[in-house]
Amino acid sequence: MTTTDTTTLDAVVIGGGAAGLNGALMLARSRRSVVVVDGGEPRNAPAEAVHGLLALDGTPPAELYRRGREEVRRYGGRVVTGTVAAAAPLPASPDGDLRFAVTLSDGTTLTARRLLVATGARDLLPDVPGLAQHWGGAVVHCPYCHGWEVRDEPIGILAVGPASSHQALLFRQLTDDVVYFTRGTELDGEGRARLSARGVRIVDTPVEEVVTGPGGGIAGVRLTGGEVVARRVLAVGTTLLPRLEGLEGLGLPVEDLPGGAGRRVVSGMAGTTQVEGVRVAGNVTEPMAQVGASAAAGALAGAHMNAHLVAAEADAALRTSGQAVGGRS
Ligand SMILES: Cc1cc2nc3c(=O)[nH]c(=O)nc-3n(C[C@H](O)[C@H](O)[C@H](O)COP(=O)(O)OP(=O)(O)OC[C@H]3O[C@@H](n4cnc5c(N)ncnc54)[C@H](O)[C@@H]3O)c2cc1C
């Protein structure tokens, strides 16, 4: 896609992960002209498989999104690989409807009546040398995504804050060998007692680095002073930030998540935002949502977007026909 599309689309979906593709599927099946622009970097790309997703458990992420793109195209939706570099509202169309301009990094521009932003979130890992290279493999964050796969392994929790003690208890459900590295974070007496009561060993000595073994996996955690605590798997909490690069022109309001967990785009019912005509779905607004919940949010946003377009079109038709509009502002 390298040309400028002069037609006004019903919707552009920015981001083609679970949320964006399901939103587009609802729109395409409602005979809406819809283009999905997707950069092809879903959050779970480093993972081998999607877990906890009914009927599709164990599907590799790339396969899931391939099938999703195919389903959108089956109903006439277009899915293009590309990055949205700019998006902004345009002056209203002659019939008073909303319009937005979306510019891709290759220069293509699209005009749409509505936007669904489903760009996901970025995980910022704690700054521990040697950690990042294992992300999505032996470094995990979510017991529901990959907890079963690391059951019975020696697991280390690299604490990032008080909430990490809860993460430790969740992983303790999956293995009886858990070590909690406090890394200078707060852990009060009750927190310590709870972890100890569940057999979790607490290490307060600062962590220096994650040690990679000869086979490429994690061998352990090196502490200040040189001791290496043998671990095969590490769990961390990440800071989650909405992916809004290039979308600043939309002015979507963001807010902090509780407990310093990151940020999210503020949204209301079915992904509405304070920017009329722009909805959001998936991790960009619900950073804790897994694939199923993200897809469901996208589907709901897509369906509501269609419903609003239907209402706007009925209003416009009524105006054109010259009949009085009663009971609707
Ligand atoms: C390592 C890891 C493993 C996981 N495993 C599981 C699991 O097993 N089961 C599970 O249910 N959940 C899992 N998750 C969570 C899962 O990744 C998210 O729930 C899901 O990806 C959210 O979907 P989304 O559509 O909101 O965002 P994403 O899937 O991240 O999709 C967003 C898309 O938007 C694109 N994009 C962003 N900005 C732009 C732009 N400017 N222009 C164009 N495109 C753009 C991105 O390239 C990406 O393709 C895992 C997460 C991680 C980090």
Side-chain angles (χ1 to χ4, degrees):
M1 195 174 198
T2 51
T3 54
T4 295
D5 194 331
T6 51
T7 54
T8 297
L9 298 156
D10 288 323
V12 166
V13 177
I14 307 176
L21 287 173
N22 219 335
L25 184 60
M26 296 303 253
L27 288 159
R29 281 177 50 76
S30 305
R31 309 190 77 181
R32 294 291 172 192
S33 54
V34 56
V35 173
V36 180
V37 185
D38 181 46
E41 292 175 343
R43 190 175 154 222
N44 56 353
E48 267 180 25
V50 178
H51 289 291
L53 185 61
L54 190 66
L56 291 168
D57 184 81
T59 309
E63 170 63 10
L64 187 76
Y65 304 124
R66 187 194 64 72
R67 286 195 218 169
R69 286 193 290 269
E70 212 173 87
E71 286 171 359
V72 171
R73 287 177 177 137
R74 192 181 302 160
Y75 299 101
R78 279 195 288 160
V79 185
V80 300
T81 301
T83 304
V84 170
L90 289 171
S93 64
D95 64 359
D97 200 4
L98 301 164
R99 285 191 315 160
F100 299 89
V102 174
T103 308
L104 278 61
S105 52
D106 69 0
T108 300
T109 61
L110 302 168
T111 308
R113 300 166 67 196
R114 302 289 185 272
L115 297 183
L116 174 58
V117 174
T119 48
R122 212 179 279 292
D123 292 271
L124 296 190
L125 291 166
D127 187 13
V128 179
L131 182 73
Q133 70 191 81
H134 297 288
W135 174 238
V139 172
V140 299
H141 70 299
C142 162
Y144 307 106
C145 301
H146 20 229
W148 173 265
E149 285 63 42
V150 300
R151 68 194 182 283
D152 294 330
E153 294 281 8
I155 299 180
I157 311 294
L158 296 181
V160 295
S164 295
S165 65
H166 179 61
Q167 190 184 37
L169 291 174
L170 290 171
F171 279 97
R172 174 64 185 82
Q173 167 66 14
L174 299 157
T175 178
D176 56 12
D177 183 358
V178 178
V179 176
Y180 189 82
F181 300 91
T182 54
R183 299 180 60 246
T185 61
E186 185 192 328
L187 183 62
D188 62 18
E190 194 194 334
R192 279 175 192 274
R194 287 170 71 80
L195 291 183
S196 298
R198 290 291 284 133
V200 175
R201 186 180 147 210
I202 300 169
V203 172
D204 290 311
T205 311
V207 166
E208 208 138 77
E209 63 167 346
V210 173
V211 181
T212 298
I218 289 177
V221 173
R222 191 187 313 281
L223 308 177
T224 302
E227 183 196 346
V228 174
V229 180
R231 296 289 90 186
R232 288 176 56 87
V233 173
L234 295 173
V236 293
T238 63
T239 304
L240 284 150
L241 298 177
R243 296 184 63 177
L244 295 172
E245 307 87 1
L247 309 188
E248 295 81 1
L250 294 175
L252 291 171
V254 294
E255 68 180 6
D256 289 341
L257 294 167
R263 311 198 84 196
R264 67 168 208 127
V265 174
V266 181
S267 65
M269 161 76 182
T272 50
T273 68
Q274 287 172 29
V275 185
E276 202 188 352
V278 180
R279 286 174 190 258
V280 288
N283 281 177
V284 73
T285 183
E286 285 295 344
M288 305 301 164
Q290 290 188 262
V291 170
S294 301
L300 190 68
H304 278 245
M305 191 174 274
N306 176 57
H308 277 246
L309 286 167
V310 164
E313 286 152 4
D315 288 349
L318 208 51
R319 277 196 303 274
T320 311
S321 70
Q323 294 177 46
V325 179
R328 201 185 145 77
S329 59

